[in-house]
Amino acid sequence: MPKIKQLQETAVVRAQRAGADCVAFVVCLAARCPGRLCLRQGTHSVHQLVLQDCGADCAKFQKSELEYKFNKKALERPYTSKHSWGKTYGEHKRHLEFSHDQYRELKKYAEEIGIFFTASGMDEMAVEFLHELDVPFFKVGSGDTNNFPYLEKTAKKGRPMVISSGMQSMNTMHQVYQIVKPINPNFCFLQCTSAYPLQPEDVNLRVISAYQTAFPDIPIGYSGHETGIAISVAAVAMGAKVVERHVTLDKTWKGSDHQASLEPNELAELVKAIRTVEKAMGSPVKQLLPCEMACNEKLGKSVVAKVTIPEGAVLTLDMLTVKVGEPKGFPPEAIFDLVGQKVKKKIEEDETITEQAVENHVKKVKC
């Protein structure tokens, strides 16, 4: 994996440039835990596993300026969930939130190990900070996808945008497209369902195809909150060019994100499976491949004589059959073309019909 200076293409730019042949850009969202704890015990390890052990492309976080994201009553709301880190929702969120200096430390560390680093700007002031931080692209979380003033201001920053679509309708996504496209053409949509953990019946991977049809000029990806890797791999097979998954070091940690996250071994398995599927997608051109030649030579069938055919006879279908023959002769698909052709020599029963035995026959190239 090259260092960050050599990583010139972000998720959106790479996908737009390469089209159908582009490999998926794998984004890992670190499941939330208290800022000090993450920096001391988890976050650096997450970066390392993403790059060195698992082969993903980008580590992503969520940045909020809480007074701009929530009103006072929302922050003062009692929060008694088993996942709570405070008596009120504001206390809980402040306990989890990274400071600006911590974000700078994380970005510096990402640059040192050669991986993309970014965050979802969860409000307009968070976007301003991330712009100042010089992230390679903005992630728009599902909660802001229908926040049209936010989208306009973010698009005007000129950075590529990865826009999730949880909790939205197709009509809203058309509106998002119409708002963002004239301002900033470098963006993509991610199919997403905002539930943690997400059940398979609520994933709706077919929305990926619907987006590809509705928005053919932008890349389409997938942001998953399900357990396991199978659905995310299927998304890539359907053409997803960006894949986002939550990552944790331990699913038993406090917080709902961790239960919907992948542990390091699962992330490594996901990336490996994605790269395998990308290779397997191959070409849309159907043809006999070099790797099939040995099987074709061994088991490929030929047209053979069903009966003894005298010299000068005109071939009829009831004279011919198809078998694995030695030597190889006309392939089975040529049998109807042989009907009406004249043979130059006697052909014994069960003998392969070869070019040398048929007058003026032009062999069709198999492709």
Side-chain angles (χ1 to χ4, degrees):
M1 176 75 70
K3 293 296 182 183
I4 199 75
K5 291 180 181 178
Q6 298 171 289
L7 297 174
Q8 298 296 322
E9 295 176 311
T10 65
V12 177
V13 173
R14 190 169 79 183
Q16 285 184 322
R17 190 162 156 186
D21 296 328
C22 171
V23 297
F25 189 90
V26 182
V27 179
C28 298
L29 171 58
R32 285 172 288 183
C33 59
R36 291 189 181 88
L37 175 63
C38 274
L39 283 171
R40 186 172 69 251
Q41 297 182 5
T43 300
H44 284 188
S45 297
V46 168
H47 276 84
Q48 289 170 332
L49 69 91
V50 166
L51 175 65
Q52 297 166 349
D53 299 335
C54 301
D57 300 291
C58 180
K60 187 186 79 70
F61 294 80
Q62 294 181 349
K63 183 71 187 94
S64 299
E65 302 292 346
L66 298 180
E67 284 70 24
Y68 291 89
K69 180 179 179 182
F70 301 97
N71 68 11
K72 289 182 179 180
K73 287 188 177 180
L75 291 173
E76 292 169 356
R77 185 179 73 221
Y79 193 50
T80 57
S81 165
K82 64 180 180 179
H83 301 302
S84 174
W85 290 94
K87 293 180 180 180
T88 66
Y89 198 64
E91 289 179 5
H92 167 76
K93 296 297 290 185
R94 290 185 186 95
H95 194 70
L96 292 170
E97 192 64 39
F98 287 146
S99 70
H100 287 192
D101 285 342
Q102 287 172 325
Y103 265 92
R104 294 186 183 100
E105 180 182 346
L106 289 169
K107 183 172 185 289
K108 182 180 180 216
Y109 183 75
E111 290 173 349
E112 289 173 358
I113 64 174
I115 189 171
F116 282 115
F117 171 85
T118 192
S120 300
M122 308 302 283
D123 53 79
E124 292 179 13
M125 290 305 296
V127 171
E128 292 294 334
F129 169 69
L130 294 172
H131 186 56
E132 173 195 323
L133 197 62
D134 196 26
V135 295
F137 63 93
F138 290 130
K139 170 67 196 302
V140 178
S142 294
D144 281 305
T145 297
N146 59 350
N147 183 349
F148 295 158
Y150 167 100
L151 286 178
E152 283 188 342
K153 291 178 182 179
T154 303
K156 287 176 181 178
K157 299 293 184 186
R159 298 183 188 275
M161 299 168 66
V162 176
I163 304 173
S164 277
S165 60
M167 305 178 288
Q168 310 303 330
S169 67
M170 182 61 87
N171 180 61
T172 298
M173 297 312 294
H174 276 286
Q175 290 178 274
V176 172
Y177 178 91
Q178 291 162 5
I179 289 169
V180 175
K181 182 71 174 179
I183 304 171
N184 184 349
N186 293 323
F187 69 101
C188 73
F189 287 161
L190 306 186
Q191 160 56 1
C192 176
T193 303
S194 298
Y196 306 82
L198 175 61
Q199 298 304 307
E201 59 269 25
D202 294 321
V203 172
N204 293 325
L205 285 179
R206 286 193 176 95
V207 174
I208 293 174
S209 300
Y211 283 169
Q212 290 166 336
T213 300
F215 313 110
D217 56 340
I218 65 171
I220 303 301
Y222 174 70
S223 178
H225 304 130
E226 72 277 4
T227 57
I229 70 169
I231 291 170
S232 295
V233 175
V236 173
M238 294 184 70
K241 297 304 177 187
V242 179
V243 175
E244 180 186 42
R245 289 298 302 269
H246 290 230
V247 177
T248 184
L249 297 181
D250 188 341
K251 290 183 183 181
T252 66
W253 278 356
K254 187 175 177 178
S256 57
D257 277 4
H258 297 287
Q259 298 171 28
S261 298
L262 299 177
E263 291 184 347
N265 62 318
E266 293 175 300
L267 176 60
E269 185 181 352
L270 172 63
V271 175
K272 182 179 178 181
I274 285 174
R275 301 310 177 210
T276 298
V277 167
E278 287 169 339
K279 290 179 183 178
M281 294 300 288
S283 167
V285 178
K286 184 60 182 172
Q287 58 186 332
L288 180 66
L289 297 174
C291 67
E292 297 178 296
M293 294 304 296
C295 187
N296 188 57
E297 285 298 314
K298 181 179 179 181
L299 299 176
K301 294 185 176 182
S302 299
V303 180
V304 302
K306 192 174 184 179
V307 296
T308 299
I309 304 172
E311 180 181 349
V314 175
L315 293 173
T316 60
L317 190 59
D318 58 4
M319 296 177 179
L320 307 174
T321 190
V322 173
K323 294 183 178 181
V324 176
E326 184 62 39
K328 294 291 182 186
F330 287 98
E333 64 264 31
I335 193 167
F336 294 140
D337 295 329
L338 287 170
V339 173
Q341 299 294 316
K342 189 176 182 180
V343 299
K344 298 190 290 185
K345 63 171 187 147
K346 180 181 178 182
I347 302 172
E348 299 292 342
E349 180 183 347
D350 208 43
E351 186 180 342
T352 302
I353 309 293
T354 63
E355 290 182 65
Q356 292 76 19
V358 180
E359 286 188 357
N360 304 318
H361 187 82
V362 178
K363 184 177 180 181
K364 294 183 178 180
V365 177
K366 187 174 183 178
C367 60

